[in-house]
Amino acid sequence: MAPPSHTGFDSDDGMRMRIRRHDWSRTPLGPRESWPPALRTAVDMMLHSAFPMFMAWGPDLTFLYNDAYVPLLGQKHGRALGERFSGLWAEVWQEMVPLIDRALSGKPVYFEDMPMTVNRRGYPERATFTFSHSPLIGEDGQVAGLFCTVMETTRRVAAERRAAFELTVSDALRPLASSEEVIATASALLGGELQAGRVVYAEMNASTERFSVPRWWARDGRTMSQPSFSLDEFGPAVGAALRAGDVVRIHDTARDVRTMGYRSAYIADQIGSMLVVPLVKSNRLTACLGIDCPQPRHWTDEDVQLARDVAERTWAATETARAQAELRAERDRSRHLFDTIAEGFAVFDADWNIVEMNAEGLRLCRTTAEEVIGRNHWEVFPHTVDMDAGRMYREVMRTRVASAAIYSHTFADGQRIWTEVRAYPMQDGSIASFFRDITDRKLAEEKLMEADRRKDEFLAMLAHELRNPLAPISAAAELLRLGRLDEARLRQSSNIIGRQVRHMTRLVDDLLDVSRVTRGLITLERARVGMRGVVQEAVEQVKPAMDARHQKLSVHLPPSWAVVEGDKARLVQVVANVLGNATKYTPEDRAIDLRAEARGGLLVISVRDEGIGMDRELTDRVFDLFTQAERSSDRSQGGLGLGLALVRNLVELQGGSVGCSSPGLGKGSTFVITLPLLEMEESERETAAAGTPSTAHGAALKVLVVDDNVDAAETLGLLLAAYGHEVVIEHEPLRAIERARSVAPDVCLLDIGLPGMDGRELARRLRALPETAASVLVAVTGYGQQQDREQAFEAGFQHHLVKPVDFDTLARLLDGVRAVPC
């Protein structure tokens, strides 16, 4: 009787466990054992994806989904599995029918930027997602269902919404002449955007240190208990934080320790949650912008940033409005007043002569009063004639309606600045102009757009790179299924599958490495590492790719005494990544030079290639995340552009540095890695230079393999046996313990996700047995995070391998065990 087939959804975690335990006989799909291969493959691929995904199969569109999709389901998660699509999403089914029909007809369908409420951090939050629906093909070649991949677009949509809101606020405040109107308008806009209950802009009286509220906004029209108050009335902790310039976030006033004992003040004003942004000017608390809701609410970082921006705009617009009021009332005595405001200010008469300009305006324009006062504006600033600012000035002069513009200008020294200009008509026919430097804001916007563009390119590249290996794997698997292959063809198909699986594993490893490094979760195993061996191992890894491209590699090894403190595996990864990068971008039959030299207290590793080279702009950011040189349209070299970003982070974590240079396009590139050498006595250097003889391999090992996946265990056992080892295979932990007592294996390869008793507990029991106390325990698992490694080592494992196991790594590990004298 043939053994049962196993797929990725047979393991005991999350949605895999739910799918395995679900009673499918009660659904149109029938028992899971009867599912067609196409369905099983689609479910397996979905469960292995880190992106939110769901699928609907069969005429009834039976619903399945992965762990990443759970937060999007919310309360539907408990009943969604195995439900009909139409019943699960009954509230939107009528609108979705045409789109579902389109997907089932073989055409892709996209839902862009769909808003949803998800609970994934312990509180409900609004998020937006893009859904991509594609048809699923059954065994008969016909559409059997649909497949949906979900991409979160919350940050982009929020950034666009925020930019639009900032523009709305700017446009709304620009024409206002009254400070109270400014406060009321800004408060109403912010309250509507944040869906708050009330917005209060309070200004501090410096002499009394009490706050007054000239105007406030409330959604339900409610008022405050008192229009004047002290911060300490809401608790000394709140007052102290605001005086220190810190934002106060209180998600629930009934539970927050800072409000204990002062509940009456919050109850009187119906404040269930509160966000307060202080405005500190000249080292003094000047005003506060408070947003509150009658009910508890979680205030996000985006809420805080939006409130900060509106507070600053409100303060600036209020100050400007008050300054304009003073100008209208006492224009002849306002010169010194305008010299104190934080914006540039100038007045042009009806003939465009510059009547006055304040100190900040002179500084922004890089000029002096003598050079501008009394002169014609167009003569002093001729570059503005055809700019948006110049056209705006002429329109204000013609229509007598206030307006604004933004323009950029490059000074003679090459510095480029962006300026926001606002112009207001005066009663005597002149124009008052306020202007400020917004270069930092514009540069930040440009960086955001560039980062977004590079992210989109990376995601497209990731999709391409992950799809590429699937085609040869699918073809080879189909050939194996047909079963009419001779030994040569069988070996060729096996090699294809193995090669493509290793390629996909490298891609996933790169993604996980980048994630761990950028989040600060990586832990280095620091030890004394001989760099000659590091360079040799890195060359061994990359040499097959170089040979395939007929490239000529010259290697200058470091001295045998060159030792650094670091993580050997990571150092090999660094050198191999730089060498691999050189191989990708160097044409066939060209040369690559690798040199490792000790210079003073440093080891300098340089890799010089005769490849495509790069321009100066790319050398400055080649180590940034998601950065790649231009590739051909077929992207034949593969990869995700993550290798060099990993290199920089890993080198810096080990106290070194890395740099890149290139004479230009088509002239090759040079990468230089610098690491601090450990100091060694002369006698130690002589001993290291003399070297040690290699240890010959010992006899065959007795290896116990424990894995509940029968196919995986049997395949691994065959490979180990082919290498001359004695192999014993078990699929259940308790039977494995009994077998270990009788066999006394040298090495135990244990799966972690075992039924009844996990691999870590099995390792603890084996370590306690006299027959296996000295055995080498190796964890074999699909989980490769740092915490998984640490838990394995705590359980008694000496090694941790991630599925699919790289057999070369395993072979070296076993050779190391055989080399240890008995």
Side-chain angles (χ1 to χ4, degrees):
M1 184 173 181
S5 61
H6 289 261
T7 66
F9 53 87
D10 279 336
S11 54
D12 289 331
D13 61 301
M15 289 307 302
R16 293 180 176 87
M17 181 178 67
R18 282 178 171 267
I19 290 176
R20 179 165 58 86
R21 293 182 175 179
H22 194 75
D23 185 4
W24 294 102
S25 63
R26 300 170 64 91
T27 73
L29 297 185
R32 187 159 55 88
E33 293 76 16
S34 66
W35 288 3
L39 173 57
R40 298 176 66 84
T41 299
V43 172
D44 193 21
M45 182 176 67
M46 176 185 70
L47 290 175
H48 280 86
S49 174
F51 292 98
M53 289 185 177
F54 73 81
M55 58 180 292
W57 184 273
D60 295 290
L61 295 180
T62 304
F63 200 79
L64 303 97
Y65 54 97
N66 66 1
D67 290 290
Y69 189 75
V70 170
L72 279 67
L73 282 172
Q75 295 180 346
K76 293 184 179 182
H77 172 48
R79 64 179 180 85
L81 191 64
E83 277 284 303
R84 287 179 170 84
F85 198 108
S86 57
L88 180 63
W89 298 107
E91 67 272 22
V92 293
W93 178 248
Q94 292 303 318
E95 292 83 1
M96 295 186 68
V97 166
L99 302 172
I100 298 298
D101 287 343
R102 178 179 173 86
L104 293 177
S105 67
K107 301 173 182 177
V109 178
Y110 298 92
F111 296 93
E112 293 190 10
D113 302 335
M114 177 178 288
M116 297 184 68
T117 298
V118 296
N119 191 325
R120 51 189 171 183
R121 298 180 178 91
Y123 56 88
E125 58 180 311
R126 294 290 288 171
T128 55
F129 301 85
T130 292
F131 295 80
S132 176
H133 296 77
S134 302
L136 282 171
I137 308 303
E139 304 300 313
D140 57 358
Q142 301 299 313
V143 175
L146 60 88
F147 196 81
C148 179
T149 302
V150 185
M151 185 72 65
E152 183 167 2
T153 59
T154 303
R155 288 193 176 183
R156 176 180 60 77
V157 172
E160 293 172 354
R161 181 182 177 90
R162 181 179 171 190
F165 176 72
E166 290 176 352
L167 181 61
T168 299
V169 172
S170 180
D171 290 342
L173 299 185
R174 186 181 304 119
L176 301 180
S178 164
S179 60
E180 289 194 4
E181 289 180 336
V182 167
I183 293 171
T185 301
S187 299
L189 289 172
L190 180 61
E193 181 68 12
L194 291 182
Q195 299 181 1
R198 181 174 53 196
V199 178
V200 177
Y201 184 88
E203 299 175 314
M204 174 176 273
N205 185 311
S207 59
T208 64
E209 291 193 350
R210 290 184 66 83
F211 281 88
S212 61
V213 185
R215 293 282 291 274
W216 65 84
W217 172 88
R219 183 176 298 277
D220 57 4
R222 59 193 169 107
T223 61
M224 296 185 65
S225 59
Q226 51 184 339
S228 175
F229 60 92
S230 167
L231 289 179
D232 293 331
E233 294 173 15
F234 293 91
V238 173
L242 293 174
R243 290 187 183 95
D246 297 330
V247 173
V248 172
R249 275 192 273 194
I250 298 179
H251 308 304
D252 188 349
T253 58
R255 298 177 180 273
D256 199 293
V257 296
R258 292 169 291 182
T259 63
M260 295 300 179
Y262 297 85
R263 289 283 299 130
S264 59
Y266 293 93
I267 293 173
D269 282 323
Q270 303 176 49
I271 301 175
S273 55
M274 180 174 70
L275 170 64
V276 186
V277 175
L279 281 163
V280 178
K281 304 297 178 182
S282 300
N283 297 320
R284 183 175 64 85
L285 181 60
T286 302
C288 289
L289 179 66
I291 306 102
D292 63 67
C293 293
Q295 65 283 341
R297 167 186 178 158
H298 185 91
W299 302 101
T300 67
D301 292 342
E302 290 76 15
D303 296 338
V304 173
Q305 188 58 44
L306 190 63
R308 279 186 183 276
D309 187 74
V310 172
E312 290 290 344
R313 287 176 179 270
T314 302
W315 178 84
T318 301
E319 292 296 302
T320 300
R322 288 169 179 164
Q324 291 174 28
E326 289 290 332
L327 175 64
R328 289 191 297 270
E330 305 179 78
R331 181 173 177 183
D332 293 339
R333 295 183 290 112
S334 64
R335 175 72 187 204
H336 296 293
L337 172 65
F338 284 109
D339 278 341
T340 65
I341 66 174
E343 290 187 286
F345 168 74
V347 175
F348 315 133
D349 66 18
D351 295 323
W352 296 106
N353 295 313
I354 303 173
V355 178
E356 58 181 313
M357 183 177 291
N358 71 346
E360 179 65 8
L362 295 171
R363 187 190 69 82
L364 291 174
C365 296
R366 298 190 183 183
T367 187
T368 65
E370 291 75 16
E371 292 173 332
V372 298
I373 302 301
R375 296 184 58 189
N376 185 276
H377 171 269
W378 307 113
E379 293 177 358
V380 178
F381 305 108
H383 60 277
T384 64
V385 173
D386 294 323
M387 288 185 171
D388 289 344
R391 288 187 285 270
M392 182 270 294
Y393 278 147
R394 291 193 292 272
E395 187 68 11
V396 172
M397 185 70 82
R398 183 180 67 82
T399 63
R400 312 307 297 170
V401 176
S403 187
I406 294 176
Y407 76 99
S408 66
H409 172 62
T410 303
F411 288 102
D413 61 2
Q415 182 183 8
R416 183 191 185 196
I417 70 166
W418 288 84
T419 306
E420 181 184 69
V421 184
R422 304 186 306 281
Y424 303 88
M426 308 292 285
Q427 291 181 352
D428 60 359
S430 61
I431 290 179
S433 173
F434 292 83
F435 47 99
R436 60 174 178 158
D437 185 346
I438 59 169
T439 304
D440 290 345
R441 191 186 84 191
K442 296 297 290 186
L443 292 178
E445 291 174 356
E446 290 176 357
K447 287 182 179 178
L448 182 62
M449 293 174 62
E450 173 64 14
D452 194 55
R453 181 188 64 79
R454 284 165 52 195
K455 178 206 67 177
D456 289 343
E457 290 180 354
F458 169 75
L459 291 175
M461 182 198 326
L462 173 62
H464 177 88
E465 292 295 339
L466 291 177
R467 288 193 188 103
N468 271 349
L470 294 178
I473 289 175
S474 176
E478 181 64 17
L479 287 173
L480 293 174
R481 187 185 68 82
L482 295 175
R484 296 191 296 273
L485 299 177
D486 56 26
E487 183 177 353
R489 286 291 182 88
L490 186 64
R491 187 180 299 109
Q492 181 185 21
S493 299
S494 177
N495 289 338
I496 288 172
I497 293 174
R499 187 164 55 251
Q500 296 303 322
V501 168
R502 287 192 296 273
H503 175 62
M504 294 187 74
T505 302
R506 285 195 299 272
L507 296 179
V508 173
D509 286 344
D510 276 354
L511 286 170
L512 293 176
D513 273 348
V514 167
S515 174
R516 285 192 290 264
V517 169
T518 54
R519 291 185 293 152
L521 300 180
I522 192 168
T523 301
L524 299 181
E525 299 178 1
R526 294 191 174 276
R528 295 169 63 90
V529 180
M531 289 306 295
R532 177 178 285 244
V534 167
V535 173
Q536 289 173 327
E537 287 190 32
V539 170
E540 288 176 4
Q541 290 185 17
V542 183
K543 196 64 168 64
M546 291 183 174
D547 292 341
R549 295 173 64 82
H550 308 292
Q551 292 166 341
K552 305 174 184 65
L553 174 66
S554 60
V555 180
H556 181 81
L557 294 173
S560 57
W561 50 263
V563 175
V564 304
E565 183 182 30
D567 187 315
K568 181 178 179 181
R570 293 300 188 179
L571 290 170
V572 172
Q573 181 182 6
V574 163
V575 180
N577 276 6
V578 175
L579 270 177
N581 187 75
T583 300
K584 289 180 184 179
Y585 293 105
T586 300
E588 294 186 0
D589 300 316
R590 297 286 184 87
I592 297 174
D593 179 72
L594 168 62
R595 305 184 69 81
E597 302 170 318
R599 299 178 187 173
L602 299 174
L603 180 69
V604 180
I605 304 173
S606 63
V607 177
R608 183 176 58 81
D609 62 61
E610 297 178 353
I612 64 174
M614 62 188 85
D615 56 30
R616 175 60 184 274
E617 187 271 337
L618 185 57
T619 61
D620 291 338
R621 61 181 182 87
V622 71
F623 295 100
D624 292 344
L625 202 58
F626 307 150
T627 298
Q628 279 188 307
E630 292 296 326
R631 299 268 188 91
S632 59
S633 60
D634 64 353
R635 311 187 63 82
S636 58
Q637 296 305 312
L640 299 174
L642 303 177
L644 294 181
L646 277 173
V647 165
R648 180 177 65 180
N649 282 280
L650 291 174
V651 169
E652 290 177 352
L653 284 173
Q654 299 182 95
S657 62
V658 61
C660 169
S661 62
S662 174
L665 293 175
K667 299 180 180 179
S669 304
T670 300
F671 287 79
V672 178
I673 302 167
T674 304
L675 294 166
L677 287 168
L678 289 178
E679 294 186 5
M680 300 179 66
E681 298 294 335
E682 189 62 32
S683 59
E684 292 180 302
R685 294 196 182 196
E686 292 175 358
T687 301
T692 56
S694 60
T695 304
H697 293 334
L701 298 174
K702 288 184 288 184
V703 182
L704 171 63
V705 177
V706 184
D707 195 329
D708 62 328
N709 186 320
V710 176
D711 289 344
E714 296 292 341
T715 304
L716 182 58
L718 289 173
L719 284 170
L720 292 170
Y723 273 72
H725 299 293
E726 298 178 29
V727 183
V728 177
I729 298 174
E730 289 294 341
H731 306 299
E732 297 178 0
L734 294 178
R735 289 179 58 85
I737 292 173
E738 294 301 319
R739 195 70 176 273
R741 284 175 173 162
S742 62
V743 174
D746 301 305
V747 179
C748 300
L749 302 178
L750 311 180
D751 182 26
I752 296 297
L754 294 171
M757 177 194 306
D758 67 20
R760 288 185 289 270
E761 178 60 26
L762 176 59
R764 294 187 187 97
R765 297 197 184 185
L766 291 175
R767 188 61 73 206
L769 295 176
E771 295 87 353
T772 52
S775 299
V776 176
L777 304 186
V778 182
V780 180
T781 175
Y783 300 101
Q785 299 291 336
Q786 183 62 30
Q787 63 182 19
D788 302 313
R789 293 171 55 86
E790 292 172 355
Q791 291 173 357
F793 294 146
E794 289 173 0
F797 286 103
Q798 291 117 307
H799 302 280
H800 183 275
L801 301 179
V802 179
K803 294 181 178 180
V805 174
D806 183 272
F807 198 78
D808 291 338
T809 301
L810 178 58
R812 287 195 297 270
L813 188 156
L814 296 178
D815 286 344
V817 175
R818 291 198 296 187
V820 176
C822 299

